[in-house]
Amino acid sequence: MTGRPVPAAVSPGHGGLDGATARRRYVTVSFLFWLPIGMSIATGVLLFTERGMGLAAIAGFYAVHSLTAAAMELPTGGLSDVIGRRPVLAIAGLLNLTAFTLIGLGAAGWAIALGMGLMGLARALSSGPAEAWYVDTVHAHAGPDADLRTGLARGSSATSAALALGTLLGGGLPWLLGLAPGLGEWLADTTGGLVIPLSVPALLGALVEGVFVFYVLSALPEPPRPRTTLRRVMGGVPAAIAAGLRLGARDALIRRILLTASAAGAALAAVELLTPGRAAALMGTAESGALVFAGLACAGFLCSALGSQLAPLVARFTGGSERAVLASLGLVTLGLALLGLTTHTMSPLATTVAVTGYGLVYLGLGAAGPNENDLLHRRVDASGRATALSVQSLSLQLVAAGAGLGAGTLPPGPLPWLLAATAVLAGALLWVRRAAPAPPHHGPSATGGPVAAPVPAGPLHDTAPEEIHPHARPT
């Protein structure tokens, strides 16, 4: 197993929150952030089409989102480590609020593109601060040996549940509004064409984002950070980026985690790109296929939520987080293989096997995530925690983009699925051997013996709060 860090200092800036309260607030934040995004999944393409956008323009909108998120992933992770978790999360919520408003009301291409870009920036801002706040708070209350898997698993489950519920709401609201005769025409006439039934989920998502911002500002206390200036912030962020890029080179366990995230990106790219076409082919029309895919996506999110809930149990059953990641990725490999082996037939048996494989992919990814992050948080300290999470997210996104482009150029059939399965299998094999313990910390532990220290993510230790009790903190 990995080395254990020196006990962290308890900071009064966390509001004296115990582990259970911090866990509930982390779960709530995760749910509120992802619910509006889930609501946009079912109606996004249809809304843009209704606004008169062609397929090439729609693809460009989503490219703006992906490229913005990838480009800003590391800078915004470093920003969270410099100015704090809560302000970065609040900024992310405000950006999403603006983005959903632009998408819901925008009839021009530039407005939609701007909204998608802001949403990508918000996605980059959000990938780490909430989880980093939770881990910081738990460590401040109970020390670095406190259980993290349960909270991380529930946060991941809340994310999946929000996406599942949001998908159903986003697909169902326009349908429900269409049941009332003339309501859609009344909305369009009253608002000059700005509001149509398909835009209602995005506008409702903007309202939810307002609730998210209020909750973040009121419910996530953190220690005050040293007074800083714009110059110091701009100087600290590049240092955090450089530190994040060095993470994999400095620690073999972190390198495994990053490579595993890359493998997960390949799996998700294959599933998200190839499944809608299979659903349409099965149903015979694009419209009915889209409806089936919405239901299947909802089921996938629920499987991911179940996997996240089972993550602590899998770790106990297999003997630790490392073995749990190995078993979970094996499940993902099996699911992708089943999807690949059933591409040439649409018999009821083959369809059942394919749906089972789809569920196994999300179940395995859901179980792997909390155990990977449990290992990650025990390997990095608070000053670089959000940066480390951003590097992990960037690894997934970049490989997913490349794998998606590659899968799109391959001939249809089992090959794209089996290549994705091979990538995940390679990621699983990284965990066959246990990682070496972290380098020992040269100072004494509370019991007088040597202890192991987490790998600091970079030179940002001076930005950590100083209002702490005088006992040991990680080096």
Side-chain angles (χ1 to χ4, degrees), residues 51-450:
R51 298 293 196 192
M53 306 300 164
L55 187 59
I58 294 173
F61 297 150
Y62 283 99
V64 168
H65 174 275
S66 298
L67 293 176
T68 303
M72 298 304 297
E73 189 69 64
L74 284 180
T76 53
L79 182 65
S80 170
D81 288 330
V82 173
I83 68 173
R85 323 305 190 193
R86 181 170 59 180
V88 171
L89 279 174
I91 294 170
L94 290 173
L95 288 173
N96 261 346
L97 188 156
T98 306
F100 283 119
T101 302
L102 285 170
I103 291 170
L105 299 179
W110 67 266
I112 298 174
L114 178 59
M116 294 296 283
L118 292 176
M119 192 182 298
L121 179 56
R123 174 68 183 90
L125 281 165
S126 69
S127 66
E131 186 171 320
W133 174 87
Y134 168 70
V135 176
D136 291 345
T137 304
V138 172
H139 281 177
H141 179 264
D145 290 331
D147 173 60
L148 296 176
R149 278 191 297 260
T150 300
L152 296 176
R154 292 185 181 178
S156 182
S157 295
T159 296
S160 298
L163 288 169
L165 178 61
T167 301
L168 293 178
L169 287 175
L173 280 174
W175 177 77
L176 289 174
L177 293 173
L179 295 179
L183 180 57
E185 291 80 1
W186 178 81
L187 281 174
D189 292 340
T190 303
T191 61
L194 292 178
V195 179
I196 60 176
L198 286 171
S199 65
V200 170
L203 298 176
L204 183 58
L207 294 177
V208 176
E209 290 293 346
V211 176
F212 169 81
V213 172
F214 176 79
Y215 189 82
V216 164
L217 294 176
S218 62
L220 301 189
E222 61 179 342
R225 293 174 182 261
R227 291 184 179 275
T228 187
T229 63
L230 179 61
R231 180 178 180 181
R232 184 173 181 181
V233 169
M234 297 304 293
V237 170
I241 295 173
L245 294 175
R246 291 195 299 267
L247 281 174
R250 295 167 63 175
D251 190 285
L253 179 62
I254 294 177
R255 187 160 56 248
R256 289 187 190 185
I257 294 171
L258 298 181
L259 290 172
T260 301
S262 300
L268 289 171
V271 170
E272 294 173 356
L273 179 69
L274 302 175
T275 305
R278 290 183 66 168
L282 176 67
M283 300 304 296
T285 65
E287 293 78 10
S288 57
L291 181 62
V292 169
F293 177 66
L296 193 60
C298 178
F301 294 138
L302 292 176
C303 286
S304 180
L306 176 61
S308 297
Q309 284 293 101
L310 294 175
L313 179 62
V314 174
R316 287 195 294 270
F317 182 77
T318 58
S321 291
E322 295 183 45
R323 295 299 186 192
V325 174
L326 173 61
S328 301
L329 293 182
L331 204 62
V332 177
T333 303
L334 174 61
L336 290 169
L338 293 177
L339 284 163
L341 295 175
T342 55
T343 54
H344 288 315
T345 176
M346 297 182 186
S347 67
L349 177 60
T351 300
T352 302
V353 171
V355 171
T356 301
Y358 184 91
L360 289 178
V361 169
Y362 280 94
L363 184 69
L365 290 174
N371 286 299
E372 291 174 38
N373 286 12
D374 173 67
L375 294 167
L376 179 65
H377 291 308
R378 297 182 188 280
R379 212 69 168 194
V380 297
D381 63 12
S383 68
R385 182 160 287 127
T387 301
L389 291 169
S390 290
V391 175
Q392 183 187 27
S393 177
L394 180 62
S395 300
L396 186 149
Q397 290 184 53
L398 289 180
V399 173
L405 291 173
T409 61
L410 293 172
L415 183 58
W417 295 103
L418 296 181
L419 287 177
T422 302
V424 176
L425 178 60
L429 293 177
L430 295 173
W431 299 92
V432 171
R433 295 182 60 185
R434 293 187 182 273
H441 174 58
H442 297 294
S445 69
T447 60

